[in-house]
Amino acid sequence: MMTTLLGGMSPRQFLEEYWQKKPLLVRQAVPGFTGVVSRDELFDLACDPDVESRYIRYQADTPGSSWTLERGPQTRGRLRGKRQPWTVLVQGLNLWVPAGDALLHQFDFIPQARLDDLMVSYAVDGGGVGPHFDNYDVFLLQGIGQRRWQIADQTDRSLVEDAPLRILKHFTPTHDWVLEPGDMLYLPPHWAHNGIAIGECTTYSIGFRSPTAQELGVSFLEWLQERIQLEGMYADPELALQDNSAEIGPAMIDQVERMLAGIRWTRRDIAAFLGTYLTEPKAHVFFESPEAPLTQKAFTRALGNKGCTLDARTLLLWSEAGFHLNGEPLCPDEADIPTLSALAHQRRLDANAVLSPALVEQFYQWYEDGFIHLQE
């Protein structure tokens, strides 16, 4: 797929010339692609309370309240509506459909630490989510049907007030394309875009994580508070009588300033935080242990014959601070690091991979937790 995914361009060339710089339209990026789920399968997921979904309807005859947003779970009745243009969005398709996970990881030429999820949108004729912009990069891969995409690199990002969606108040497109099944459009952050279904259609969106500095700062301080150990206790043996007892005096402020100055962090702390932060499963993600798990002896034998694969929900990343899996640090033996690195990169290990007894035992624990599975 990589030979066509970027229009014959190498990933290196794409990163140098397009990534976060300018859009790219690729005709037949995935030849013959019509999606990874049928309409009925998609609707089943949208109606599942464990799956994140949104239903969006546009009412052109209702000034001032044109857009309606309903969060899931959806109902079959809602998904049969025909009077007004509507669309349904299913988030995290990669967590529920193996082919969706495989599609998402076709984009591993972007570091996995930046990958977010695969979203699919189904729309009837005229359906869409209105002109908007995203704060992250996105690849828009057309499934069934056609969708018209209008885009613009505009500086005016003012939004319609009181709308349930982030709809641009003013949108002046500079490019206008109709995407057919298998076509793909890449958009850098902040490019305004509007996708309108031409008949029934689906679009698969590969999105990327772009946390704000505020989000990172808050999360880091939460991570740090469990790890800092400050010495000493507030004391004031030389306390002087104050004219006003309600004043927080300069001496108290000075002492607390000195005490808090002991809060320090290093580059390694930042790397360790990112390992936890980037692999921590989202709040709605749960793992399923095998109903009838193999014994460790049987698992070891099957592992050697079949190999293993990471669960779609599992995030395994590494940095100079070591490996992190699903929000927890790992402490592997040095000899096992190449194997874990290969597993993190490929998300699978084939049969007959060389594994130490310690790593086999670790894999068995992950197998019981639902973090990895034996390959079929």
Side-chain angles (χ1 to χ4, degrees):
M1 184 189 296
M2 187 54 69
T3 57
T4 59
L5 189 63
L6 298 174
M9 190 184 313
S10 70
R12 186 182 303 278
Q13 183 182 356
F14 169 78
L15 293 175
E16 291 175 351
E17 297 183 15
Y18 289 90
W19 179 253
Q20 298 205 332
K21 301 175 185 69
K22 58 184 179 181
L24 175 66
L25 174 65
V26 182
R27 296 294 185 185
Q28 291 304 287
V30 186
F33 182 78
T34 56
V36 299
V37 289
S38 67
R39 180 180 64 178
D40 285 342
E41 290 170 333
L42 178 60
F43 287 1
D44 285 344
L45 287 168
C47 295
D48 189 325
D50 292 330
V51 178
E52 185 180 355
S53 67
R54 289 168 288 166
Y55 171 87
I56 298 164
R57 186 174 72 247
Y58 178 67
Q59 297 171 279
D61 56 352
T62 311
S65 58
S66 300
W67 296 94
T68 301
L69 169 65
E70 300 286 349
R71 298 191 181 277
Q74 311 301 331
T75 64
R76 280 286 182 168
R78 183 180 293 161
L79 300 178
R80 285 196 292 267
K82 295 182 179 179
R83 291 188 56 192
Q84 301 286 352
W86 61 271
T87 187
V88 63
L89 311 175
V90 172
Q91 209 78 38
L93 189 69
N94 52 295
L95 303 180
W96 305 99
V97 180
D101 186 54
L103 176 61
L104 177 67
H105 286 283
Q106 289 294 320
F107 293 81
D108 278 356
F109 55 90
I110 307 299
Q112 291 184 45
R114 292 279 272 111
L115 275 179
D116 190 5
D117 74 347
L118 175 68
M119 183 187 76
V120 60
S121 63
Y122 169 91
V124 299
D125 187 49
V129 299
H132 65 285
F133 68 91
D134 298 316
N135 292 319
Y136 52 84
D137 306 83
V138 64
F139 290 89
L140 301 162
L141 177 62
Q142 188 64 21
I144 63 169
Q146 299 175 313
R147 191 183 291 268
R148 179 185 183 189
W149 283 104
Q150 299 171 309
I151 70 172
D153 185 19
Q154 60 185 56
T155 55
D156 182 358
R157 301 194 183 107
S158 55
L159 303 175
V160 174
E161 295 181 4
D162 300 324
L165 301 164
R166 292 165 51 86
I167 305 295
L168 285 167
K169 186 180 296 185
H170 309 289
F171 177 57
T172 307
T174 55
H175 298 80
D176 193 326
W177 300 295
V178 173
L179 269 63
E180 306 278 349
D183 292 346
M184 186 176 72
L185 175 63
Y186 162 72
L187 292 175
H190 303 142
W191 271 74
H193 53 287
N194 187 27
I196 305 169
I198 301 175
E200 177 187 46
C201 85
T202 56
T203 300
Y204 290 77
S205 303
I206 295 88
F208 296 83
R209 301 184 67 162
S210 297
T212 65
Q214 179 68 16
E215 291 168 339
L216 287 170
V218 169
S219 296
F220 176 67
L221 292 177
E222 290 174 351
W223 178 89
L224 190 63
Q225 72 178 356
E226 299 177 359
R227 292 161 177 82
I228 59 174
Q229 292 184 331
L230 299 179
E231 301 295 332
M233 179 179 295
Y234 185 86
D236 47 10
E238 305 300 325
L239 182 64
L241 183 66
Q242 296 184 176
D243 293 335
N244 188 324
S245 64
E247 180 187 7
I248 301 174
M252 175 177 278
I253 296 173
D254 290 343
Q255 184 177 164
V256 173
E257 181 182 20
R258 289 191 297 272
M259 294 170 74
L260 297 185
I263 300 175
R264 294 281 191 271
W265 60 84
T266 66
R267 175 186 175 88
R268 189 172 181 82
D269 291 325
I270 298 295
F273 156 71
L274 284 174
T276 298
Y277 175 80
L278 293 172
T279 64
E280 183 74 37
K282 295 180 180 179
H284 64 279
V285 170
F286 297 93
F287 292 90
E288 299 175 2
S289 300
E291 293 183 3
L294 300 173
T295 64
Q296 184 166 347
K297 184 176 181 180
F299 171 81
T300 301
R301 184 166 53 249
L303 182 63
N305 293 331
K306 298 180 178 182
C308 63
T309 182
L310 294 177
D311 184 87
R313 300 163 180 79
T314 290
L315 294 170
L316 175 60
L317 301 175
W318 65 274
S319 71
E320 58 198 63
F323 288 83
H324 284 76
L325 178 129
N326 295 336
E328 297 294 333
L330 304 177
C331 298
D333 294 336
E334 187 172 349
D336 292 329
I337 289 177
T339 302
L340 276 178
S341 178
L343 175 62
H345 177 54
Q346 302 166 3
R347 297 188 60 80
R348 59 195 289 269
L349 289 176
D350 292 332
N352 300 317
V354 178
L355 305 174
S356 70
L359 202 53
V360 171
E361 184 174 349
Q362 178 73 85
F363 283 4
Y364 184 67
Q365 293 176 14
W366 294 352
Y367 160 74
E368 290 188 309
D369 292 333
F371 297 167
I372 66 169
H373 308 287
L374 294 166
Q375 294 197 63
E376 298 296 331

